[in-house]
Amino acid sequence: GGVQWMTAGSGLVHAELSPDTFKREGGPLEILQLWVNLPSQLKMVRPAYTGLQRSDIPAPALENGGTLDLVAGSFGGSTGPVTSLTNIFMSTVRLPSGASVTLPAPSGRSVFCYVVRGTVRISGRAIDRWQLVEFNDNGDTVNVTAETDAVLLYAHADPIGEPVVAHGPFVMNTHEEIAEAIRDYQAGRFDKPALAP
């Protein structure tokens, strides 16, 4: 239920580590990793890292018994603990079987829903776990009904509308910028390593 929010910006080296007990004994592990692009004017911002435990994340109650774990943005009088550079709304939604909820989907924003667990019905279609739904941008809400107990990753943001070039861990706007990022990394010009707990 925790969140790690990292802004790579002008260059950040990090390691994803597990506790020694987990390495020795194993156990359940569920990770969702999203890469969210930044517009060109923010690509070189200072790198940053925010680590949150579940108790740090507001969870406003939804109608019919569900909850929305609010990571970034505002909902139901609550504000998420992460301040996004690009005004992203990011949440996880937990719905018991049979519950329906109306979620914000502001017109003109890129809106998506990823079904982590369970099955939901959206616009008359059943969406099973591990499916991603991207919505058109001409409405203001999305209605979701849980056919089983369900967990969703639900988010929206302003479209960036710029070219995207990716190579390995680098995401820039041009091939030349990718080559420069690789040279900067090889020359040791990225910030000192930040270890994700």
Side-chain angles (χ1 to χ4, degrees), residues 122-144:
I122 302 173
S123 298
R125 291 184 55 196
I127 313 295
D128 293 320
R129 69 178 178 161
W130 305 334
Q131 299 299 306
L132 174 70
V133 178
E134 184 178 1
F135 300 93
N136 61 31
D137 64 354
N138 62 358
D140 286 319
T141 60
V142 169
N143 297 311
V144 179

Side-chain angles (χ1 to χ4, degrees), residues 5 14 29 31 36 43 60 71 101 112 114 116 119 133 136 140 146 164 166 169 180 186 188:
W5 189 286
H14 79 288
L29 177 66
I31 296 175
V36 180
K43 290 245 191 253
V71 176
V101 65
F112 81 89
Y114 178 75
V116 179
T119 300
V133 178
N136 61 31
D140 286 319
V164 175
E180 183 178 348
Q186 290 171 338

Side-chain angles (χ1 to χ4, degrees), residues 143-163:
N143 297 311
V144 179
T145 301
E147 294 195 340
T148 65
D149 290 352
V151 176
L152 315 172
L153 179 64
Y154 185 80
H156 56 79
D158 290 327
I160 295 175
E162 295 178 353

Side-chain angles (χ1 to χ4, degrees), residues 1-128:
V3 171
Q4 296 180 26
W5 189 286
M6 182 172 58
T7 302
S10 61
L12 183 70
V13 176
H14 79 288
E16 296 173 6
L17 305 173
S18 297
D20 288 338
T21 55
F22 185 82
K23 290 178 195 174
R24 280 192 311 272
E25 300 166 21
L29 177 66
E30 180 176 62
I31 296 175
L32 298 174
Q33 186 177 70
L34 302 178
W35 286 37
V36 180
N37 196 14
L38 289 172
S40 58
Q41 77 267 19
L42 293 175
K43 290 245 191 253
M44 292 300 161
V45 298
R46 180 157 179 76
Y49 171 83
T50 302
L52 302 169
Q53 299 302 316
R54 184 180 185 110
S55 60
D56 299 324
I57 301 169
L62 301 170
E63 60 265 32
N64 299 324
T67 59
L68 184 143
D69 301 322
L70 184 59
V71 176
S74 297
F75 181 85
S78 296
T79 300
V82 171
T83 302
S84 162
L85 295 175
T86 56
N87 193 29
I88 292 171
F89 175 91
M90 182 70 66
S91 67
T92 55
V93 178
R94 300 170 191 283
L95 297 172
S97 180
S100 293
V101 65
T102 300
L103 298 171
S107 180
R109 305 257 293 170
S110 295
V111 181
F112 81 89
C113 175
Y114 178 75
V115 181
V116 179
R117 284 196 292 275
T119 300
V120 297
R121 188 163 290 278
I122 302 173
S123 298
R125 291 184 55 196
I127 313 295
D128 293 320

